[in-house]
Amino acid sequence: MSASAASALDFSGPERPGAVGWRRRTLLDLVVGYGLILIVIWTPAPLRTVLYFVTLGWIGYATWSSFSGWDAMGVRVAGFSRSMWVVGIALCLAAGAVVFALQEQTLHGPHSVLRLVQGFWGYTVWSFFQQFLLNDFVMRRLLKLTNDRRVAVIGAAGLFALAHLPNPVLTVMTLVWGVVACLIFLRYRNLFTLGMAHAILGICVAVTLPASVQHNMRVGLGYLRYRPHVRHHLNQMDHRVSTVVWVRAEAPTRRS
């Protein structure tokens, strides 16, 4: 195993190699956590709400019980400035998509920066939480279990995309972003820039693609039950556990 891979594994705390049952515990945390997320995505209300909080509780407990430091989780200042290029690229891609959407007359959503912030603050929070789930909860556990960066990156990205089914737009995009985000995290170990880029790209999809195509960013049962031309509340539960996929606001559907 290479030195870079060894540093990325960051074994410490209850999950360090040699600790009794560390591998079984790591696998249990991952399987139960991800399984609960899929169940929530495919469960109708009102049971979905109960399972949603059960899932948050499990993820919180698993994170607390295996906590190995904020730096290891990417919640740090180090690496922020060096990885800001990711945010820059996301802004450029979003700008290009907005110009194209204007030409195709598919741009919709808030008409001012203030309304944009008011409409999508929840999604921004959810974007950071998704990056935590992807990079910390899933990928770092796969690294611990496999000792192989490629397997961990591809596995985490695959699970991330799988949780966005059956939405074809989000499934493809999250597979690509999952791979890119995991590689960037291994290099810079910073969640903040990844969360910012995720929010920019997600909001871009919401306001540039017609709701009939991306179903208001819904996944799972919410995607299948989507009905067009119906106004939805911005804080709808359907997409709150969209990936491991993992609390955000649904995109506005008002056309410009």
Side-chain angles (χ1 to χ4, degrees):
M1 182 173 57
S2 66
S4 58
S7 62
L9 294 177
D10 189 41
F11 290 120
S12 58
E15 294 182 0
R16 65 186 183 277
V20 177
W22 75 268
R23 184 179 295 275
R24 180 174 56 191
R25 171 58 190 276
T26 302
L27 182 60
L28 179 66
D29 287 348
L30 179 59
V31 171
V32 174
Y34 186 73
L36 284 171
I37 287 170
L38 293 183
I39 291 174
V40 170
I41 291 172
W42 290 97
T43 299
L47 180 58
R48 179 180 62 240
T49 303
V50 176
L51 293 175
Y52 171 75
F53 286 105
V54 171
T55 303
L56 282 182
W58 176 265
I59 292 173
Y61 169 75
T63 302
W64 170 79
S65 62
S66 61
F67 184 69
S68 54
W70 294 111
D71 279 356
M73 295 174 61
V75 183
R76 60 179 191 161
V77 175
F80 180 83
S81 58
R82 292 188 296 115
S83 59
M84 271 298 292
W85 60 268
V86 181
V87 179
I89 290 180
L91 285 171
C92 290
L93 291 174
V98 168
V99 171
F100 181 79
L102 280 171
Q103 295 175 344
E104 299 298 318
Q105 298 183 339
T106 61
L107 187 66
H108 56 281
H111 298 283
S112 67
V113 175
L114 178 61
R115 292 300 299 271
L116 183 69
V117 173
Q118 291 174 337
F120 287 97
W121 68 268
Y123 180 82
T124 301
V125 173
W126 174 236
S127 297
F128 280 86
F129 187 55
Q130 285 191 78
Q131 288 304 141
F132 158 75
L133 289 170
L134 171 64
N135 298 124
D136 283 320
F137 191 80
V138 177
M139 187 187 69
R140 289 184 63 225
R141 282 176 170 78
L142 289 177
L143 279 169
K144 288 175 168 65
L145 291 169
T146 66
N147 291 358
D148 190 316
R149 289 178 54 154
R150 288 171 297 184
V151 172
V153 169
I154 295 174
L159 292 175
F160 191 55
L162 182 63
H164 285 85
L165 289 173
N167 190 317
V169 174
L170 295 186
T171 300
V172 173
M173 293 189 67
T174 51
L175 179 61
V176 175
W177 172 249
V179 172
V180 172
C182 286
L183 291 174
I184 293 173
F185 182 81
L186 288 175
R187 181 174 179 83
Y188 300 103
R189 193 65 69 89
N190 191 288
L191 279 180
F192 295 116
T193 49
L194 289 174
M196 292 166 63
H198 186 140
I200 292 168
L201 295 174
I203 293 171
C204 174
V205 171
V207 302
T208 58
L209 291 181
S212 59
V213 174
Q214 39 90 356
H215 287 203
N216 286 349
M217 305 285 281
R218 296 184 178 198
V219 299
L221 192 61
Y223 179 88
L224 297 179
R225 290 185 170 184
Y226 170 78
R227 295 294 180 269
H229 309 301
V230 177
R231 188 166 183 81
H232 300 286
H233 191 276
L234 289 178
N235 204 27
Q236 192 159 332
M237 179 69 74
D238 287 337
H239 183 57
R240 279 196 172 181
V241 191
S242 81
T243 61
V244 172
V245 247
W246 284 349
V247 134
R248 79 331 72 347
E250 182 177 84
T253 59
R254 186 178 65 256
R255 300 227 175 219
S256 58

